[in-house]
Amino acid sequence: MKITLNQVRLDDLTHPSRKLTKKQARGDVIIVRYADDAVLGFEQRAEAGRFLEELRERLGKFGLELHPEKTRLIEFGRFAAERRKQRGEGKPETFNFLGFTHICGTNYQTGHFTVRRKTMGKRLAAKLKEIRAQLQRRMHAGLPQTSEWLQQVVRGYFQYTAVPGNWERLKAFRREVLYHWYQALKRRSQRTRLRWSTFPQRFGALLPPVQILQPYPNLRFDAKHYSIRGKNRVR
């Protein structure tokens, strides 16, 4: 559930979530929030619908309303694919949050359910458009300066987006950056002998390689707190 708000504290508006979680919910409830964006998960569909109605009523008291295109009630989670298949429906819906499209997936090693994340298509296209414009402005800059700048750009992009399951989008981003760089260099001189067929091999090593930099939270926790690895962390 994605909500766009201003002038009113989100804590005040989401008061029904605290009430539902503590007093009314029979199933598990999870709330993930960043600034004015939020995703809420309910084990029971009826409770999700009830919360949504309560939130609409509370927003109305402030003269606000939920964005019709950004607020959705969807079936998502461990059993979503199986239940939808039994009903003759398609794959579970996806949702966008914090720059990623979240998808019901399967861990290829364990076969268990996992939430797959991939960079939102619009965010990827916007970032590549920005890089292309910058390369055009830097068309006549020296190769060392441009390559150093591109290294920083690609490395910074990977620091946020290099999460498990996003491998294909990361490769596409790096490939497109190289192609835009090739086009910029080619426009700089009509006599250039650069060919795209050999450009990635010659210049690809100047950019950071594709690798997963943000592993799953449990792997980061085990690496940091090795002494209690595999033990109950809740006290």
Side-chain angles (χ1 to χ4, degrees):
M1 187 180 301
K2 191 171 183 180
I3 309 166
T4 301
L5 306 170
N6 51 36
Q7 297 181 351
V8 180
R9 293 194 311 124
L10 188 59
D11 288 338
D12 294 333
L13 296 176
T14 56
H15 173 72
S17 66
R18 298 198 299 272
K19 179 181 178 182
L20 181 59
T21 302
K22 295 179 180 179
K23 298 182 179 181
Q24 299 179 7
R26 296 182 179 181
D28 289 337
V29 179
I30 183 172
I31 302 174
V32 181
R33 206 189 90 196
Y34 183 83
D36 63 352
D37 284 348
V39 173
L40 298 93
F42 294 83
E43 186 175 1
Q44 304 294 332
R45 185 180 183 89
E47 293 175 352
R50 184 167 68 250
F51 169 82
L52 186 58
E53 290 303 317
E54 291 181 6
L55 184 58
R56 284 197 176 102
E57 292 177 4
R58 189 164 182 83
L59 282 168
K61 295 179 181 179
F62 293 90
L64 300 173
E65 61 182 12
L66 293 170
H67 195 294
E69 297 179 0
K70 297 182 178 180
T71 306
R72 293 184 298 148
L73 180 60
I74 66 173
E75 187 175 18
F76 192 93
R78 188 184 306 274
F79 306 108
E82 179 181 352
R83 290 171 179 171
R84 291 177 66 87
K85 184 177 181 180
Q86 292 175 352
R87 298 195 299 265
E89 300 175 351
K91 295 181 179 180
E93 294 182 70
T94 63
F95 67 91
N96 296 327
F97 186 59
L98 301 182
F100 292 99
T101 298
H102 294 69
I103 308 164
C104 289
T106 302
N107 187 302
Y108 297 112
Q109 295 180 340
T110 64
H112 297 160
F113 169 80
T114 187
V115 178
R116 291 183 53 237
R117 292 173 292 170
K118 66 178 183 180
T119 308
M120 292 170 53
K122 290 183 178 180
R123 293 287 183 91
L124 177 61
K127 186 63 178 179
L128 289 171
K129 183 178 180 180
E130 175 187 334
I131 292 173
R132 182 179 181 180
Q134 287 288 342
L135 283 170
Q136 290 177 350
R137 298 189 191 99
R138 297 169 177 264
M139 184 184 303
H140 300 289
L143 182 62
Q145 291 80 9
T146 302
S147 63
E148 182 179 357
W149 172 73
L150 282 176
Q151 287 173 11
Q152 295 175 353
V153 170
V154 175
R155 187 178 297 112
Y157 184 83
F158 284 174
Q159 284 294 332
Y160 183 76
T161 60
V163 300
N166 201 27
W167 189 265
E168 291 302 321
R169 288 288 168 93
L170 297 175
K171 289 198 304 182
F173 172 79
R174 189 177 184 275
R175 182 176 60 250
E176 289 300 312
V177 169
L178 277 172
Y179 185 69
H180 290 327
W181 190 12
Y182 161 74
Q183 288 184 318
L185 292 175
K186 192 174 180 180
R187 290 192 186 98
R188 186 168 66 175
S189 174
Q190 297 294 330
R191 298 180 180 180
T192 182
R193 295 182 179 180
L194 291 175
R195 296 292 181 271
W196 172 242
S197 59
T198 59
F199 189 86
Q201 289 75 21
R202 293 180 58 187
F203 292 85
L206 298 176
L207 299 184
V210 175
Q211 57 183 328
I212 301 302
L213 302 177
Q214 305 293 341
Y216 287 111
N218 64 308
L219 298 179
R220 294 199 299 268
F221 186 93
D222 289 342
K224 186 176 181 180
H225 305 282
Y226 184 81
S227 60
I228 60 173
R229 181 179 182 181
K231 299 180 180 179
N232 186 0
R233 302 161 188 168
V234 179
R235 294 292 185 267

